Amino acid sequence: MYIDSNGSNFAEKLLGYLQKVDYKIAHSEEDRSIIYRLRYDAYIREEAIKPHPSMMFHDDYDDLENCWIFSLSIDEQLVSSVRVHVISPEHPKGPALDVFPDIVGPMVFEQGCTIIDPTRFVASPEFAAEYPELPYFTLRAAFMAVDYYNADYCLATVRKEHMAFYRRVFRAEILSEPRPYPSLQKPIAIMCVDVPKVRNKIARRYPIFESSFTERRFIFNKPDTIPENKKPPVLVSSLAS
């Protein structure tokens, strides 16, 4: 599933696919239930969780006010999802902070950093086979959060076999070897992207990760339709593109 290329043709191909992808935040219980089922199917296939009668996979982190659950659709069909937490001194909640407090804690409480913590990246197996570039489309959501919240760091809590992809594409550095992770049967490592240091280098190589401020604001800031407890923290970046 995880592929890479240094060629400009690959970057152009990604941009061409981007026109098909619709990014949304899942606010309603109905939309979230569909994503929870997609998660369950994905994690069961990987033997990362135990079977459950509900055939859905979610946890308390999904309900935090600094949590955004993305759904990605092509032709109105759900193809993938990723969950993004915006961790900051004002909102010190998120899975990475709880599992790796010795690493993430000092970033938040001592340095006062804003951190993007993407987790629960899952994809439809049918669409993943048709679109092997799906990881780039999906993780673009985290990149948009990085820009919108002017984040200092973006984390990657991943299994060992996926670390090479994040190191290659996002220049992520390994901060810890795999540890036990809540609700998962396989250990997870933590990696970190130093945003000010590498953000522009990543975007030059993969222009798909760029987004306009208008697009980011449309996704993250819709006070007329977003329930009060799902509105974004007031950390809006002054960056525009």
Side-chain angles (χ1 to χ4, degrees):
M1 181 176 181
Y2 295 112
I3 63 172
D4 193 10
S5 171
N6 295 322
S8 60
N9 289 341
F10 179 70
E12 292 173 2
K13 184 179 181 181
L14 288 177
L15 288 173
Y17 280 140
L18 188 57
Q19 299 177 20
K20 302 180 179 181
V21 182
D22 185 23
Y23 292 82
K24 292 182 179 178
I25 301 295
H27 292 296
S28 72
E29 287 305 313
E30 180 181 0
D31 289 342
R32 287 184 169 216
S33 294
I34 295 171
I35 290 173
Y36 296 158
R37 285 193 289 272
L38 179 67
R39 281 186 195 169
Y40 180 84
D41 291 342
Y43 281 94
I44 284 292
R45 283 195 306 273
E46 296 177 352
E47 299 182 343
I49 61 173
K50 295 179 180 179
H52 191 275
S54 70
M55 299 185 69
M56 293 194 290
F57 184 41
H58 59 93
D59 55 41
D60 292 342
Y61 292 113
D62 290 313
D63 298 321
L64 294 178
E65 63 178 346
N66 61 330
C67 173
W68 302 90
I69 300 176
F70 278 82
S71 69
L72 278 71
S73 301
I74 295 178
D75 296 329
E76 300 184 353
Q77 296 186 65
L78 179 66
V79 298
S80 66
S81 175
V82 66
R83 180 176 71 183
V84 172
H85 285 86
V86 183
I87 303 174
S88 68
E90 295 78 17
H91 295 82
K93 299 288 185 180
L97 181 58
D98 289 347
V99 179
F100 302 93
D102 53 321
I103 296 173
V104 182
M107 296 179 182
V108 176
F109 301 113
E110 297 175 16
Q111 301 175 35
C113 294
T114 297
I115 299 171
I116 303 303
D117 180 18
T119 54
R120 300 294 190 251
F121 170 20
V122 292
S124 158
E126 295 80 11
F127 279 94
E130 183 176 354
Y131 298 98
E133 304 85 0
L134 202 52
Y136 297 86
F137 305 150
T138 307
L139 293 172
R140 180 176 180 264
F143 214 90
M144 284 193 283
V146 163
D147 283 349
Y148 188 73
Y149 289 103
N150 197 17
D152 301 286
Y153 298 105
C154 184
L155 304 178
T157 48
V158 298
R159 297 206 305 271
K160 190 170 184 178
E161 58 265 35
H162 295 159
M163 292 168 69
F165 171 81
Y166 288 88
R167 196 163 47 232
R168 183 171 62 248
V169 175
F170 297 103
R171 305 180 183 224
E173 299 178 0
I174 302 171
L175 299 185
S176 172
E177 290 302 309
R179 296 181 183 179
Y181 198 81
S183 70
L184 298 182
Q185 298 191 95
K186 298 184 179 181
I188 298 293
I190 186 170
M191 306 178 74
C192 181
V193 178
D194 187 332
V195 173
K197 182 179 178 181
V198 303
R199 186 252 178 241
N200 291 339
K201 295 177 182 178
I202 296 170
R204 279 197 298 269
R205 187 178 185 187
Y206 303 103
I208 189 176
F209 294 129
E210 292 283 17
S211 60
S212 69
F213 181 72
T214 300
E215 180 184 12
R216 298 192 294 268
R217 182 172 57 186
F218 179 80
I219 289 175
F220 289 103
N221 187 26
K222 298 178 67 178
D224 56 328
T225 59
I226 295 176
E228 188 65 31
N229 68 334
K230 292 302 175 185
K231 292 180 183 178
V234 183
L235 298 170
V236 179
S237 166
S238 60
L239 294 177
S241 59

